[in-house]
Amino acid sequence: VNKMDFIGRQETFDEDFTEACKLIGIQRPVTERVRFSKKPKTNKELLTKDLQYILDKFYDKDFKEFNYKKETM
């Protein structure tokens, strides 16, 4: 089993990336956000109920471990 010292989240990328750089002893490089669309689509717009069910089952342990809330369709 791999032991992790740090887990970053996409939702707090800037802060977590800064922290990760400090942990490994490097200066944080300059980054910028790139948006490919003006309005991000929600899971309800992208997923069928069947696909949502499959993803919920597959990532169930991750949702529990990282205290993420599952969206209902």
Side-chain angles (χ1 to χ4, degrees):
V1 174
N2 292 332
K3 186 175 181 181
M4 290 182 240
D5 294 329
F6 180 79
I7 298 174
R9 291 181 179 233
Q10 180 180 356
E11 297 86 354
T12 54
F13 176 81
D14 289 328
E15 297 85 8
D16 291 349
F17 186 58
T18 300
E19 181 65 23
C21 290
K22 286 180 188 176
L23 287 171
I24 62 173
I26 65 169
Q27 185 176 6
R28 186 190 192 283
V30 177
T31 58
E32 65 178 76
R33 277 197 169 159
V34 177
R35 284 234 142 129
F36 293 101
S37 66
K38 293 182 181 182
K39 180 185 172 200
K41 295 190 182 269
T42 65
N43 284 350
K44 289 180 183 180
E45 294 173 299
L46 296 172
L47 303 176
T48 64
K49 287 183 180 183
D50 290 339
L51 184 54
Q52 182 69 52
Y53 177 80
I54 292 167
L55 292 171
D56 284 350
K57 287 289 190 188
F58 187 81
Y59 290 107
D60 187 58
K61 184 177 177 183
D62 295 318
F63 275 94
K64 290 175 183 170
E65 181 74 26
F66 298 110
N67 199 29
Y68 280 118
K69 180 182 169 192
K70 293 182 183 179
E71 291 185 25
T72 57
M73 294 190 65

PDB file of all heavy atoms in Angstrom, residues 32-63:
ATOM      1  N   GLU A  32      -1.937  29.566 -14.555  1.00  0.00           N
ATOM      2  CA  GLU A  32      -3.133  30.349 -14.845  1.00  0.00           C
ATOM      3  C   GLU A  32      -4.266  29.407 -15.189  1.00  0.00           C
ATOM      4  O   GLU A  32      -4.050  28.295 -15.643  1.00  0.00           O
ATOM      5  CB  GLU A  32      -2.903  31.335 -15.991  1.00  0.00           C
ATOM      6  CG  GLU A  32      -2.627  30.678 -17.334  1.00  0.00           C
ATOM      7  CD  GLU A  32      -2.445  31.679 -18.449  1.00  0.00           C
ATOM      8  OE1 GLU A  32      -1.369  32.293 -18.502  1.00  0.00           O
ATOM      9  OE2 GLU A  32      -3.386  31.834 -19.248  1.00  0.00           O
ATOM     10  N   ARG A  33      -5.471  29.871 -14.941  1.00  0.00           N
ATOM     11  CA  ARG A  33      -6.646  29.060 -15.260  1.00  0.00           C
ATOM     12  C   ARG A  33      -6.989  29.191 -16.731  1.00  0.00           C
ATOM     13  O   ARG A  33      -6.940  30.270 -17.295  1.00  0.00           O
ATOM     14  CB  ARG A  33      -7.845  29.533 -14.455  1.00  0.00           C
ATOM     15  CG  ARG A  33      -7.868  28.976 -13.107  1.00  0.00           C
ATOM     16  CD  ARG A  33      -9.237  29.125 -12.529  1.00  0.00           C
ATOM     17  NE  ARG A  33      -9.216  28.312 -11.333  1.00  0.00           N
ATOM     18  CZ  ARG A  33     -10.028  28.461 -10.346  1.00  0.00           C
ATOM     19  NH1 ARG A  33     -10.955  29.370 -10.384  1.00  0.00           N
ATOM     20  NH2 ARG A  33      -9.942  27.683  -9.301  1.00  0.00           N
ATOM     21  N   VAL A  34      -7.352  28.074 -17.308  1.00  0.00           N
ATOM     22  CA  VAL A  34      -7.791  28.067 -18.692  1.00  0.00           C
ATOM     23  C   VAL A  34      -9.197  27.506 -18.705  1.00  0.00           C
ATOM     24  O   VAL A  34      -9.441  26.402 -18.243  1.00  0.00           O
ATOM     25  CB  VAL A  34      -6.859  27.193 -19.570  1.00  0.00           C
ATOM     26  CG1 VAL A  34      -7.379  27.138 -20.993  1.00  0.00           C
ATOM     27  CG2 VAL A  34      -5.436  27.718 -19.512  1.00  0.00           C
ATOM     28  N   ARG A  35     -10.119  28.266 -19.221  1.00  0.00           N
ATOM     29  CA  ARG A  35     -11.509  27.822 -19.333  1.00  0.00           C
ATOM     30  C   ARG A  35     -11.813  27.515 -20.785  1.00  0.00           C
ATOM     31  O   ARG A  35     -11.519  28.315 -21.668  1.00  0.00           O
ATOM     32  CB  ARG A  35     -12.452  28.925 -18.838  1.00  0.00           C
ATOM     33  CG  ARG A  35     -12.479  29.018 -17.343  1.00  0.00           C
ATOM     34  CD  ARG A  35     -13.920  28.908 -16.955  1.00  0.00           C
ATOM     35  NE  ARG A  35     -13.999  28.140 -15.740  1.00  0.00           N
ATOM     36  CZ  ARG A  35     -14.652  28.536 -14.686  1.00  0.00           C
ATOM     37  NH1 ARG A  35     -15.248  29.693 -14.683  1.00  0.00           N
ATOM     38  NH2 ARG A  35     -14.729  27.777 -13.628  1.00  0.00           N
ATOM     39  N   PHE A  36     -12.382  26.358 -21.019  1.00  0.00           N
ATOM     40  CA  PHE A  36     -12.709  25.968 -22.377  1.00  0.00           C
ATOM     41  C   PHE A  36     -14.159  26.273 -22.745  1.00  0.00           C
ATOM     42  O   PHE A  36     -14.522  26.245 -23.885  1.00  0.00           O
ATOM     43  CB  PHE A  36     -12.426  24.474 -22.577  1.00  0.00           C
ATOM     44  CG  PHE A  36     -10.968  24.162 -22.495  1.00  0.00           C
ATOM     45  CD1 PHE A  36     -10.429  23.627 -21.347  1.00  0.00           C
ATOM     46  CD2 PHE A  36     -10.137  24.438 -23.557  1.00  0.00           C
ATOM     47  CE1 PHE A  36      -9.073  23.354 -21.266  1.00  0.00           C
ATOM     48  CE2 PHE A  36      -8.780  24.174 -23.491  1.00  0.00           C
ATOM     49  CZ  PHE A  36      -8.251  23.624 -22.332  1.00  0.00           C
ATOM     50  N   SER A  37     -14.965  26.559 -21.761  1.00  0.00           N
ATOM     51  CA  SER A  37     -16.343  26.943 -22.031  1.00  0.00           C
ATOM     52  C   SER A  37     -16.739  28.016 -21.030  1.00  0.00           C
ATOM     53  O   SER A  37     -16.156  28.140 -19.964  1.00  0.00           O
ATOM     54  CB  SER A  37     -17.284  25.736 -21.928  1.00  0.00           C
ATOM     55  OG  SER A  37     -17.321  25.273 -20.600  1.00  0.00           O
ATOM     56  N   LYS A  38     -17.732  28.782 -21.375  1.00  0.00           N
ATOM     57  CA  LYS A  38     -18.156  29.863 -20.494  1.00  0.00           C
ATOM     58  C   LYS A  38     -18.914  29.341 -19.286  1.00  0.00           C
ATOM     59  O   LYS A  38     -18.774  29.836 -18.196  1.00  0.00           O
ATOM     60  CB  LYS A  38     -18.998  30.864 -21.270  1.00  0.00           C
ATOM     61  CG  LYS A  38     -18.191  31.607 -22.311  1.00  0.00           C
ATOM     62  CD  LYS A  38     -19.017  32.626 -23.030  1.00  0.00           C
ATOM     63  CE  LYS A  38     -18.132  33.303 -24.066  1.00  0.00           C
ATOM     64  NZ  LYS A  38     -18.807  34.338 -24.782  1.00  0.00           N
ATOM     65  N   LYS A  39     -19.737  28.342 -19.492  1.00  0.00           N
ATOM     66  CA  LYS A  39     -20.534  27.796 -18.402  1.00  0.00           C
ATOM     67  C   LYS A  39     -20.264  26.303 -18.291  1.00  0.00           C
ATOM     68  O   LYS A  39     -20.581  25.541 -19.207  1.00  0.00           O
ATOM     69  CB  LYS A  39     -22.016  28.031 -18.671  1.00  0.00           C
ATOM     70  CG  LYS A  39     -22.907  27.482 -17.583  1.00  0.00           C
ATOM     71  CD  LYS A  39     -24.370  27.621 -17.943  1.00  0.00           C
ATOM     72  CE  LYS A  39     -25.193  26.886 -16.908  1.00  0.00           C
ATOM     73  NZ  LYS A  39     -26.516  26.568 -17.381  1.00  0.00           N
ATOM     74  N   PRO A  40     -19.682  25.868 -17.176  1.00  0.00           N
ATOM     75  CA  PRO A  40     -19.457  24.428 -17.045  1.00  0.00           C
ATOM     76  C   PRO A  40     -20.771  23.654 -16.974  1.00  0.00           C
ATOM     77  O   PRO A  40     -21.735  24.125 -16.386  1.00  0.00           O
ATOM     78  CB  PRO A  40     -18.691  24.303 -15.731  1.00  0.00           C
ATOM     79  CG  PRO A  40     -18.631  25.642 -15.119  1.00  0.00           C
ATOM     80  CD  PRO A  40     -19.255  26.629 -16.041  1.00  0.00           C
ATOM     81  N   LYS A  41     -20.792  22.512 -17.588  1.00  0.00           N
ATOM     82  CA  LYS A  41     -21.992  21.677 -17.548  1.00  0.00           C
ATOM     83  C   LYS A  41     -22.028  20.900 -16.240  1.00  0.00           C
ATOM     84  O   LYS A  41     -21.006  20.550 -15.681  1.00  0.00           O
ATOM     85  CB  LYS A  41     -22.017  20.729 -18.730  1.00  0.00           C
ATOM     86  CG  LYS A  41     -22.144  21.448 -20.055  1.00  0.00           C
ATOM     87  CD  LYS A  41     -22.410  20.483 -21.165  1.00  0.00           C
ATOM     88  CE  LYS A  41     -22.483  21.207 -22.476  1.00  0.00           C
ATOM     89  NZ  LYS A  41     -23.804  21.632 -22.823  1.00  0.00           N
ATOM     90  N   THR A  42     -23.215  20.638 -15.761  1.00  0.00           N
ATOM     91  CA  THR A  42     -23.380  19.871 -14.539  1.00  0.00           C
ATOM     92  C   THR A  42     -23.476  18.381 -14.881  1.00  0.00           C
ATOM     93  O   THR A  42     -23.675  18.004 -16.034  1.00  0.00           O
ATOM     94  CB  THR A  42     -24.668  20.281 -13.803  1.00  0.00           C
ATOM     95  OG1 THR A  42     -25.789  19.934 -14.634  1.00  0.00           O
ATOM     96  CG2 THR A  42     -24.690  21.764 -13.491  1.00  0.00           C
ATOM     97  N   ASN A  43     -23.332  17.538 -13.862  1.00  0.00           N
ATOM     98  CA  ASN A  43     -23.487  16.104 -14.082  1.00  0.00           C
ATOM     99  C   ASN A  43     -24.847  15.780 -14.676  1.00  0.00           C
ATOM    100  O   ASN A  43     -24.971  14.875 -15.493  1.00  0.00           O
ATOM    101  CB  ASN A  43     -23.302  15.342 -12.772  1.00  0.00           C
ATOM    102  CG  ASN A  43     -21.854  15.245 -12.372  1.00  0.00           C
ATOM    103  OD1 ASN A  43     -20.963  15.571 -13.148  1.00  0.00           O
ATOM    104  ND2 ASN A  43     -21.611  14.826 -11.155  1.00  0.00           N
ATOM    105  N   LYS A  44     -25.861  16.505 -14.251  1.00  0.00           N
ATOM    106  CA  LYS A  44     -27.210  16.232 -14.759  1.00  0.00           C
ATOM    107  C   LYS A  44     -27.281  16.451 -16.262  1.00  0.00           C
ATOM    108  O   LYS A  44     -28.046  15.794 -16.955  1.00  0.00           O
ATOM    109  CB  LYS A  44     -28.233  17.116 -14.045  1.00  0.00           C
ATOM    110  CG  LYS A  44     -28.445  16.722 -12.611  1.00  0.00           C
ATOM    111  CD  LYS A  44     -29.453  17.626 -11.937  1.00  0.00           C
ATOM    112  CE  LYS A  44     -29.577  17.240 -10.472  1.00  0.00           C
ATOM    113  NZ  LYS A  44     -30.536  18.064  -9.762  1.00  0.00           N
ATOM    114  N   GLU A  45     -26.482  17.385 -16.777  1.00  0.00           N
ATOM    115  CA  GLU A  45     -26.481  17.658 -18.211  1.00  0.00           C
ATOM    116  C   GLU A  45     -25.613  16.658 -18.981  1.00  0.00           C
ATOM    117  O   GLU A  45     -25.835  16.424 -20.158  1.00  0.00           O
ATOM    118  CB  GLU A  45     -25.957  19.073 -18.483  1.00  0.00           C
ATOM    119  CG  GLU A  45     -26.859  20.168 -17.946  1.00  0.00           C
ATOM    120  CD  GLU A  45     -26.235  21.538 -18.085  1.00  0.00           C
ATOM    121  OE1 GLU A  45     -25.155  21.765 -17.506  1.00  0.00           O
ATOM    122  OE2 GLU A  45     -26.831  22.368 -18.786  1.00  0.00           O
ATOM    123  N   LEU A  46     -24.636  16.063 -18.321  1.00  0.00           N
ATOM    124  CA  LEU A  46     -23.667  15.217 -19.007  1.00  0.00           C
ATOM    125  C   LEU A  46     -23.923  13.719 -18.894  1.00  0.00           C
ATOM    126  O   LEU A  46     -23.542  12.958 -19.772  1.00  0.00           O
ATOM    127  CB  LEU A  46     -22.258  15.504 -18.457  1.00  0.00           C
ATOM    128  CG  LEU A  46     -21.720  16.908 -18.694  1.00  0.00           C
ATOM    129  CD1 LEU A  46     -20.419  17.104 -17.931  1.00  0.00           C
ATOM    130  CD2 LEU A  46     -21.509  17.149 -20.176  1.00  0.00           C
ATOM    131  N   LEU A  47     -24.550  13.281 -17.810  1.00  0.00           N
ATOM    132  CA  LEU A  47     -24.643  11.849 -17.535  1.00  0.00           C
ATOM    133  C   LEU A  47     -26.066  11.315 -17.616  1.00  0.00           C
ATOM    134  O   LEU A  47     -27.009  11.969 -17.199  1.00  0.00           O
ATOM    135  CB  LEU A  47     -24.108  11.548 -16.130  1.00  0.00           C
ATOM    136  CG  LEU A  47     -22.685  11.990 -15.825  1.00  0.00           C
ATOM    137  CD1 LEU A  47     -22.356  11.712 -14.373  1.00  0.00           C
ATOM    138  CD2 LEU A  47     -21.702  11.301 -16.738  1.00  0.00           C
ATOM    139  N   THR A  48     -26.173  10.086 -18.097  1.00  0.00           N
ATOM    140  CA  THR A  48     -27.455   9.390 -18.027  1.00  0.00           C
ATOM    141  C   THR A  48     -27.583   8.815 -16.613  1.00  0.00           C
ATOM    142  O   THR A  48     -26.594   8.707 -15.885  1.00  0.00           O
ATOM    143  CB  THR A  48     -27.514   8.243 -19.044  1.00  0.00           C
ATOM    144  OG1 THR A  48     -26.523   7.260 -18.693  1.00  0.00           O
ATOM    145  CG2 THR A  48     -27.288   8.744 -20.461  1.00  0.00           C
ATOM    146  N   LYS A  49     -28.771   8.415 -16.244  1.00  0.00           N
ATOM    147  CA  LYS A  49     -28.968   7.801 -14.922  1.00  0.00           C
ATOM    148  C   LYS A  49     -28.153   6.524 -14.780  1.00  0.00           C
ATOM    149  O   LYS A  49     -27.580   6.251 -13.725  1.00  0.00           O
ATOM    150  CB  LYS A  49     -30.445   7.524 -14.673  1.00  0.00           C
ATOM    151  CG  LYS A  49     -31.238   8.769 -14.394  1.00  0.00           C
ATOM    152  CD  LYS A  49     -32.683   8.441 -14.089  1.00  0.00           C
ATOM    153  CE  LYS A  49     -33.447   9.717 -13.814  1.00  0.00           C
ATOM    154  NZ  LYS A  49     -34.824   9.485 -13.438  1.00  0.00           N
ATOM    155  N   ASP A  50     -28.091   5.727 -15.837  1.00  0.00           N
ATOM    156  CA  ASP A  50     -27.318   4.479 -15.802  1.00  0.00           C
ATOM    157  C   ASP A  50     -25.837   4.750 -15.585  1.00  0.00           C
ATOM    158  O   ASP A  50     -25.187   4.088 -14.774  1.00  0.00           O
ATOM    159  CB  ASP A  50     -27.512   3.681 -17.089  1.00  0.00           C
ATOM    160  CG  ASP A  50     -28.904   3.086 -17.204  1.00  0.00           C
ATOM    161  OD1 ASP A  50     -29.580   2.943 -16.157  1.00  0.00           O
ATOM    162  OD2 ASP A  50     -29.312   2.766 -18.329  1.00  0.00           O
ATOM    163  N   LEU A  51     -25.303   5.724 -16.307  1.00  0.00           N
ATOM    164  CA  LEU A  51     -23.886   6.046 -16.156  1.00  0.00           C
ATOM    165  C   LEU A  51     -23.604   6.626 -14.770  1.00  0.00           C
ATOM    166  O   LEU A  51     -22.592   6.296 -14.147  1.00  0.00           O
ATOM    167  CB  LEU A  51     -23.446   7.029 -17.241  1.00  0.00           C
ATOM    168  CG  LEU A  51     -21.961   7.388 -17.260  1.00  0.00           C
ATOM    169  CD1 LEU A  51     -21.088   6.140 -17.317  1.00  0.00           C
ATOM    170  CD2 LEU A  51     -21.657   8.302 -18.431  1.00  0.00           C
ATOM    171  N   GLN A  52     -24.498   7.455 -14.251  1.00  0.00           N
ATOM    172  CA  GLN A  52     -24.339   8.003 -12.905  1.00  0.00           C
ATOM    173  C   GLN A  52     -24.298   6.873 -11.874  1.00  0.00           C
ATOM    174  O   GLN A  52     -23.484   6.885 -10.955  1.00  0.00           O
ATOM    175  CB  GLN A  52     -25.472   8.969 -12.575  1.00  0.00           C
ATOM    176  CG  GLN A  52     -25.352   9.622 -11.209  1.00  0.00           C
ATOM    177  CD  GLN A  52     -24.205  10.605 -11.140  1.00  0.00           C
ATOM    178  OE1 GLN A  52     -24.107  11.477 -11.968  1.00  0.00           O
ATOM    179  NE2 GLN A  52     -23.353  10.457 -10.150  1.00  0.00           N
ATOM    180  N   TYR A  53     -25.158   5.882 -12.028  1.00  0.00           N
ATOM    181  CA  TYR A  53     -25.192   4.733 -11.121  1.00  0.00           C
ATOM    182  C   TYR A  53     -23.855   3.971 -11.157  1.00  0.00           C
ATOM    183  O   TYR A  53     -23.301   3.629 -10.121  1.00  0.00           O
ATOM    184  CB  TYR A  53     -26.352   3.805 -11.492  1.00  0.00           C
ATOM    185  CG  TYR A  53     -26.407   2.563 -10.659  1.00  0.00           C
ATOM    186  CD1 TYR A  53     -26.953   2.599  -9.372  1.00  0.00           C
ATOM    187  CD2 TYR A  53     -25.913   1.359 -11.136  1.00  0.00           C
ATOM    188  CE1 TYR A  53     -27.000   1.454  -8.593  1.00  0.00           C
ATOM    189  CE2 TYR A  53     -25.959   0.212 -10.371  1.00  0.00           C
ATOM    190  CZ  TYR A  53     -26.497   0.264  -9.097  1.00  0.00           C
ATOM    191  OH  TYR A  53     -26.533  -0.866  -8.324  1.00  0.00           O
ATOM    192  N   ILE A  54     -23.351   3.735 -12.354  1.00  0.00           N
ATOM    193  CA  ILE A  54     -22.082   3.020 -12.510  1.00  0.00           C
ATOM    194  C   ILE A  54     -20.945   3.800 -11.850  1.00  0.00           C
ATOM    195  O   ILE A  54     -20.124   3.232 -11.117  1.00  0.00           O
ATOM    196  CB  ILE A  54     -21.777   2.778 -14.002  1.00  0.00           C
ATOM    197  CG1 ILE A  54     -22.789   1.777 -14.584  1.00  0.00           C
ATOM    198  CG2 ILE A  54     -20.343   2.297 -14.210  1.00  0.00           C
ATOM    199  CD1 ILE A  54     -22.781   1.690 -16.094  1.00  0.00           C
ATOM    200  N   LEU A  55     -20.886   5.099 -12.082  1.00  0.00           N
ATOM    201  CA  LEU A  55     -19.831   5.922 -11.484  1.00  0.00           C
ATOM    202  C   LEU A  55     -19.950   5.981  -9.963  1.00  0.00           C
ATOM    203  O   LEU A  55     -18.942   5.937  -9.251  1.00  0.00           O
ATOM    204  CB  LEU A  55     -19.863   7.332 -12.077  1.00  0.00           C
ATOM    205  CG  LEU A  55     -19.458   7.434 -13.547  1.00  0.00           C
ATOM    206  CD1 LEU A  55     -19.733   8.833 -14.077  1.00  0.00           C
ATOM    207  CD2 LEU A  55     -18.002   7.071 -13.737  1.00  0.00           C
ATOM    208  N   ASP A  56     -21.172   6.103  -9.463  1.00  0.00           N
ATOM    209  CA  ASP A  56     -21.388   6.111  -8.009  1.00  0.00           C
ATOM    210  C   ASP A  56     -20.864   4.829  -7.368  1.00  0.00           C
ATOM    211  O   ASP A  56     -20.228   4.856  -6.319  1.00  0.00           O
ATOM    212  CB  ASP A  56     -22.867   6.286  -7.671  1.00  0.00           C
ATOM    213  CG  ASP A  56     -23.358   7.706  -7.852  1.00  0.00           C
ATOM    214  OD1 ASP A  56     -22.516   8.606  -8.054  1.00  0.00           O
ATOM    215  OD2 ASP A  56     -24.580   7.917  -7.788  1.00  0.00           O
ATOM    216  N   LYS A  57     -21.149   3.684  -7.991  1.00  0.00           N
ATOM    217  CA  LYS A  57     -20.680   2.397  -7.467  1.00  0.00           C
ATOM    218  C   LYS A  57     -19.149   2.304  -7.533  1.00  0.00           C
ATOM    219  O   LYS A  57     -18.508   1.879  -6.583  1.00  0.00           O
ATOM    220  CB  LYS A  57     -21.298   1.232  -8.246  1.00  0.00           C
ATOM    221  CG  LYS A  57     -22.750   1.011  -7.951  1.00  0.00           C
ATOM    222  CD  LYS A  57     -22.885   0.464  -6.563  1.00  0.00           C
ATOM    223  CE  LYS A  57     -24.285   0.003  -6.312  1.00  0.00           C
ATOM    224  NZ  LYS A  57     -24.486  -0.367  -4.924  1.00  0.00           N
ATOM    225  N   PHE A  58     -18.587   2.707  -8.668  1.00  0.00           N
ATOM    226  CA  PHE A  58     -17.151   2.587  -8.883  1.00  0.00           C
ATOM    227  C   PHE A  58     -16.362   3.463  -7.910  1.00  0.00           C
ATOM    228  O   PHE A  58     -15.334   3.055  -7.376  1.00  0.00           O
ATOM    229  CB  PHE A  58     -16.812   2.972 -10.329  1.00  0.00           C
ATOM    230  CG  PHE A  58     -15.375   2.727 -10.687  1.00  0.00           C
ATOM    231  CD1 PHE A  58     -14.937   1.457 -11.045  1.00  0.00           C
ATOM    232  CD2 PHE A  58     -14.460   3.769 -10.675  1.00  0.00           C
ATOM    233  CE1 PHE A  58     -13.615   1.236 -11.374  1.00  0.00           C
ATOM    234  CE2 PHE A  58     -13.131   3.555 -11.001  1.00  0.00           C
ATOM    235  CZ  PHE A  58     -12.708   2.290 -11.358  1.00  0.00           C
ATOM    236  N   TYR A  59     -16.855   4.678  -7.661  1.00  0.00           N
ATOM    237  CA  TYR A  59     -16.136   5.629  -6.810  1.00  0.00           C
ATOM    238  C   TYR A  59     -16.711   5.741  -5.393  1.00  0.00           C
ATOM    239  O   TYR A  59     -16.388   6.668  -4.664  1.00  0.00           O
ATOM    240  CB  TYR A  59     -16.117   7.016  -7.461  1.00  0.00           C
ATOM    241  CG  TYR A  59     -15.227   7.063  -8.682  1.00  0.00           C
ATOM    242  CD1 TYR A  59     -15.774   7.133  -9.963  1.00  0.00           C
ATOM    243  CD2 TYR A  59     -13.847   7.022  -8.557  1.00  0.00           C
ATOM    244  CE1 TYR A  59     -14.957   7.175 -11.081  1.00  0.00           C
ATOM    245  CE2 TYR A  59     -13.023   7.055  -9.668  1.00  0.00           C
ATOM    246  CZ  TYR A  59     -13.586   7.141 -10.925  1.00  0.00           C
ATOM    247  OH  TYR A  59     -12.773   7.177 -12.024  1.00  0.00           O
ATOM    248  N   ASP A  60     -17.532   4.788  -4.990  1.00  0.00           N
ATOM    249  CA  ASP A  60     -18.182   4.848  -3.683  1.00  0.00           C
ATOM    250  C   ASP A  60     -17.174   5.012  -2.537  1.00  0.00           C
ATOM    251  O   ASP A  60     -17.351   5.841  -1.653  1.00  0.00           O
ATOM    252  CB  ASP A  60     -19.036   3.591  -3.461  1.00  0.00           C
ATOM    253  CG  ASP A  60     -19.860   3.684  -2.196  1.00  0.00           C
ATOM    254  OD1 ASP A  60     -20.664   4.632  -2.080  1.00  0.00           O
ATOM    255  OD2 ASP A  60     -19.668   2.826  -1.310  1.00  0.00           O
ATOM    256  N   LYS A  61     -16.105   4.241  -2.572  1.00  0.00           N
ATOM    257  CA  LYS A  61     -15.089   4.315  -1.511  1.00  0.00           C
ATOM    258  C   LYS A  61     -14.450   5.716  -1.471  1.00  0.00           C
ATOM    259  O   LYS A  61     -14.215   6.262  -0.397  1.00  0.00           O
ATOM    260  CB  LYS A  61     -14.022   3.253  -1.740  1.00  0.00           C
ATOM    261  CG  LYS A  61     -12.994   3.176  -0.651  1.00  0.00           C
ATOM    262  CD  LYS A  61     -12.007   2.056  -0.911  1.00  0.00           C
ATOM    263  CE  LYS A  61     -10.933   2.031   0.149  1.00  0.00           C
ATOM    264  NZ  LYS A  61      -9.933   1.005  -0.107  1.00  0.00           N
ATOM    265  N   ASP A  62     -14.177   6.294  -2.642  1.00  0.00           N
ATOM    266  CA  ASP A  62     -13.585   7.639  -2.703  1.00  0.00           C
ATOM    267  C   ASP A  62     -14.534   8.688  -2.137  1.00  0.00           C
ATOM    268  O   ASP A  62     -14.111   9.592  -1.408  1.00  0.00           O
ATOM    269  CB  ASP A  62     -13.215   8.006  -4.134  1.00  0.00           C
ATOM    270  CG  ASP A  62     -12.126   7.112  -4.697  1.00  0.00           C
ATOM    271  OD1 ASP A  62     -11.177   6.813  -3.963  1.00  0.00           O
ATOM    272  OD2 ASP A  62     -12.239   6.715  -5.867  1.00  0.00           O
ATOM    273  N   PHE A  63     -15.819   8.593  -2.484  1.00  0.00           N
ATOM    274  CA  PHE A  63     -16.794   9.546  -1.967  1.00  0.00           C
ATOM    275  C   PHE A  63     -16.822   9.505  -0.435  1.00  0.00           C
ATOM    276  O   PHE A  63     -16.873  10.548   0.217  1.00  0.00           O
ATOM    277  CB  PHE A  63     -18.199   9.262  -2.513  1.00  0.00           C
ATOM    278  CG  PHE A  63     -18.461   9.891  -3.848  1.00  0.00           C
ATOM    279  CD1 PHE A  63     -18.251   9.175  -5.016  1.00  0.00           C
ATOM    280  CD2 PHE A  63     -18.916  11.190  -3.938  1.00  0.00           C
ATOM    281  CE1 PHE A  63     -18.493   9.752  -6.256  1.00  0.00           C
ATOM    282  CE2 PHE A  63     -19.161  11.772  -5.174  1.00  0.00           C
ATOM    283  CZ  PHE A  63     -18.949  11.050  -6.342  1.00  0.00           C
TER     284      PHE A  63
END
